[in-house]
Amino acid sequence: MTTGQHPATQPETEPTDEERLPTVAEQMADQLGGWRGLVESSIPVVVFVVVNILGELRPAVIASVGVAVLIGVLRLAQRRPVRHAVNGLFGIGIGAAIAWRTGEARDFYLPGILYGIGYGVALLISAAIRQPLVGWLWSVLVAKGSSAWRDDPKLVRTFTGLTVLWGVVWLAKVGVQAGLYLAEQDTALGVARLALGYPPYVLLLLITVWTVRRVMRESEPTPLPT
């Protein structure tokens, strides 16, 4: 090596502690169970609505619960995750039990209505006390338990606004179902349950993931020129 020459310096690369954030599609697929999860969760409700229109309440209850159980069994046989199937069976089972006991088809949808009211109110309360539920759900489902967003005022405002949006939409769609329930419109209530189920949920998820990722990119420090 000639005197005065220095070995070429190689840029140092520091290992990143944080793993790559899942993409929007990956997060959507995880929350919804993919297209299969969307379809499977809707089938028992569709079966209940159709059988109740063509026949009577109790055959509709038996058919919907039977289909929900069959979906769970098929998933087990195929060694696929059963979380979404179990959640669906739980919700269908409670509604079916109430409808069977009261003899009113509309009571099949009552647990979902009550759950929606409670969820919407909880979202708005959490935003009012500056503990937005959407932020904490993001910590659990995406950020691997990290609550670093609490130290970023911009992210806190973002999650608060998103939580209010979720709460308002949730109460609006459950308000439509509650109105149909009180009007004893069983068939319309079933159609509303399907139409106001996943479509608003998917839209809210897309808005949430896109908004949070954009704000997080804007909050990242700009690397200094070398």
Side-chain angles (χ1 to χ4, degrees), residues 36 40 69-80 82:
R36 177 171 175 171
E40 289 178 348
V69 172
L70 180 60
I71 290 172
V73 171
L74 286 176
R75 276 191 165 269
L76 281 174
Q78 296 171 355
R79 300 182 182 276
R80 291 179 176 269
V82 295

Side-chain angles (χ1 to χ4, degrees), residues 11-99:
E12 296 182 359
T13 58
E14 297 180 358
T16 56
D17 295 332
E18 296 184 359
E19 298 180 3
R20 177 186 66 86
L21 280 175
T23 64
V24 174
E26 290 171 341
Q27 294 174 50
M28 292 283 292
D30 178 68
Q31 291 306 303
L32 301 176
W35 287 110
R36 177 171 175 171
L38 284 172
V39 173
E40 289 178 348
S41 62
S42 302
I43 288 176
V45 179
V46 172
V47 168
F48 178 85
V49 173
V50 172
V51 177
N52 187 55
I53 292 174
L54 299 177
E56 297 180 353
L57 171 62
R58 293 200 170 186
V61 170
I62 295 172
S64 62
V65 173
V67 168
V69 172
L70 180 60
I71 290 172
V73 171
L74 286 176
R75 276 191 165 269
L76 281 174
Q78 296 171 355
R79 300 182 182 276
R80 291 179 176 269
V82 295
R83 174 167 58 94
H84 297 284
V86 170
N87 291 340
L89 178 59
F90 182 74
I92 291 294
I94 294 178
I98 296 175

Side-chain angles (χ1 to χ4, degrees), residues 11 221-226:
T222 305
L224 295 176
T226 55

Side-chain angles (χ1 to χ4, degrees), residues 164-180:
V164 171
L165 175 64
W166 275 76
V168 169
V169 171
W170 221 261
L171 289 177
K173 72 173 192 172
V174 81
V176 173
Q177 296 178 58
L180 293 172

Side-chain angles (χ1 to χ4, degrees), residues 8-217:
T9 57
Q10 299 295 330
E12 296 182 359
T13 58
E14 297 180 358
T16 56
D17 295 332
E18 296 184 359
E19 298 180 3
R20 177 186 66 86
L21 280 175
T23 64
V24 174
E26 290 171 341
Q27 294 174 50
M28 292 283 292
D30 178 68
Q31 291 306 303
L32 301 176
W35 287 110
R36 177 171 175 171
L38 284 172
V39 173
E40 289 178 348
S41 62
S42 302
I43 288 176
V45 179
V46 172
V47 168
F48 178 85
V49 173
V50 172
V51 177
N52 187 55
I53 292 174
L54 299 177
E56 297 180 353
L57 171 62
R58 293 200 170 186
V61 170
I62 295 172
S64 62
V65 173
V67 168
V69 172
L70 180 60
I71 290 172
V73 171
L74 286 176
R75 276 191 165 269
L76 281 174
Q78 296 171 355
R79 300 182 182 276
R80 291 179 176 269
V82 295
R83 174 167 58 94
H84 297 284
V86 170
N87 291 340
L89 178 59
F90 182 74
I92 291 294
I94 294 178
I98 296 175
W100 185 281
R101 183 177 182 84
T102 63
E104 296 284 345
R106 61 177 181 156
D107 288 337
F108 179 82
Y109 310 101
L110 183 58
I113 294 174
L114 296 178
Y115 167 80
I117 293 173
Y119 188 49
V121 170
L123 283 164
L124 295 181
I125 291 176
S126 72
I129 63 175
R130 304 290 290 176
Q131 294 291 333
L133 273 178
V134 173
W136 290 112
L137 289 173
W138 180 275
S139 295
V140 173
L141 299 174
V142 180
K144 301 184 183 302
S146 171
S147 58
W149 61 271
R150 292 292 302 169
D151 299 324
D152 187 335
K154 191 172 183 179
L155 274 175
V156 173
R157 290 193 300 270
T158 299
F159 279 124
T160 300
L162 287 169
T163 300
V164 171
L165 175 64
W166 275 76
V168 169
V169 171
W170 221 261
L171 289 177
K173 72 173 192 172
V174 81
V176 173
Q177 296 178 58
L180 293 172
Y181 176 86
L182 294 175
E184 300 184 2
Q185 299 294 321
D186 301 345
T187 302
L189 181 55
V191 174
R193 165 74 176 268
L194 295 171
L196 299 177
Y198 274 113
Y201 186 54
V202 171
L203 181 60
L204 286 172
L205 272 178
L206 284 172
I207 293 173
T208 299
V209 173
W210 179 83
T211 302
V212 174
R213 291 172 70 88
R214 179 178 60 83
V215 173
M216 291 178 70
R217 283 196 300 269

